[in-house]
Amino acid sequence: MMRLKVPNGLLTSDHMRFFADTVGIYPADVGVIDITTRQNIQLRGIELQDMTELIDGLQMRGLSNVQSGMDNVRNLVGSPIAGIDPEELVDTRDIAKDIDAMITNDGKGNPKLANLPRKFNIAVSGSRDDFAYTSINDIGLRPCPNKESGEMGFNVIVGGYFSIKRVMESIPMDIWIKAEDAARFCEAVLLYFRDNGSRGDRQKARLIWLIEDMGMEGFRQAISDKYDEMFPKKKGGAAIPAQPEPWAVAAGTNTPTQPHKKRDILGVHSQKQEGLSWVGINVPAGRILPDEAMALADIADKYSQGEIRLTVEQNVIFPNVNNTKVSELLQEPLFNIGHYFIPKTDKDFPLSRGLVSCTGSQFCGVGR
């Protein structure tokens, strides 16, 4: 298996065809493409003798597998509808790419961040819906305006993760950072974690264990000091207190001052660009076969200018579809074979649409 790096889940039709060609030469029961719960791609069935050609092909297409596994920062998650969301607060695409570039040295490899105490997850949210699920990441960046300047930045939450031993929701760090400083802040946290995180019991090596050992106040001060040491021209950039969310719950009540119900991004939705829609497709368990990948690429070329986006729920979004072409897209053969579904249309299948799954026992010894 090869796990890639696909910051913010942004792909093209050329990428999808390359994936199909890559796994399509292997037996049908192993040569498959999986969308992961980090807006990422895993290519399965790969044989060692084919790795060089695969790695070269990824680099030619602006992708890589550098530092994608083991004790590294995993794929950068962002909003799957970044740049097209009518309710967007921050476009997460460039921020996710900048953080990934910092971590991987622009895909060339970064030894100083290649041996963390444990794997590390970062997510950047673009709206109140938090389609990036920041609360289950080691670092979560949640958009919020500065109450004095109005500048949009991020309140930081930290420490979230899942494991077989513990499930932990992220906790507020009481820090607000500017959007332009997101990569710098993440680098400061990562280097501090590298040098101070536990390397003993791997079940107690994630960031939250370091935070609990130090206490949040001590951890926050240590990160602020590390940031100032690394970026003296930006001194104080990691010492701004978290900003009040304009929509937060009013004091003494349980009612948000600006009520909001999380949206469903699957199905057909109007973009903020007039005359365009995005179409969210349900891909059960995120499993894509080579011929299906080819069909997805053809559909992207025909309707979404070759762009394909991945979601944390292991689904696919076609952005920038002309409203006059939506009905035609819904009639594409791939969406009428009873495998791929389009919620809130006559091609919906509610039992499947909420399904999220690991790769299972076929490819994983932990699977059952």
Side-chain angles (χ1 to χ4, degrees), residues 107-167:
K108 296 186 286 289
N110 185 354
K112 71 179 184 180
L113 290 176
N115 184 28
L116 300 175
R118 202 67 169 85
K119 72 175 182 179
F120 202 99
N121 292 327
I122 300 174
V124 187
S125 181
S127 72
R128 290 180 65 188
D129 298 274
D130 195 14
F131 294 122
Y133 293 88
T134 53
S135 61
I136 54 173
N137 284 261
D138 295 280
I139 297 176
L141 303 181
R142 290 183 163 176
C144 182
N146 186 288
K147 65 178 181 180
E148 295 179 358
S149 68
E151 178 182 3
M152 189 61 68
F154 296 101
N155 283 336
V156 181
I157 58 175
V158 289
Y161 83 105
F162 283 110
S163 79
I164 59 175
K165 296 293 185 180
R166 184 180 185 184
V167 175

Side-chain angles (χ1 to χ4, degrees), residues 261-310:
K261 182 178 179 181
K262 185 170 182 175
R263 294 167 292 162
D264 182 355
I265 55 174
L266 296 186
V268 181
H269 300 270
S270 297
Q271 296 182 188
K272 64 182 179 181
Q273 294 86 2
E274 186 175 354
L276 299 178
S277 294
W278 79 78
V279 181
I281 309 298
N282 175 217
V283 183
R287 174 62 52 84
I288 302 175
L289 303 181
D291 61 329
E292 295 169 344
M294 288 293 191
L296 289 170
D298 291 343
I299 291 169
D301 281 339
K302 189 174 181 180
Y303 299 100
S304 61
Q305 295 82 54
E307 186 175 355
I308 299 169
R309 301 189 183 190
L310 309 179

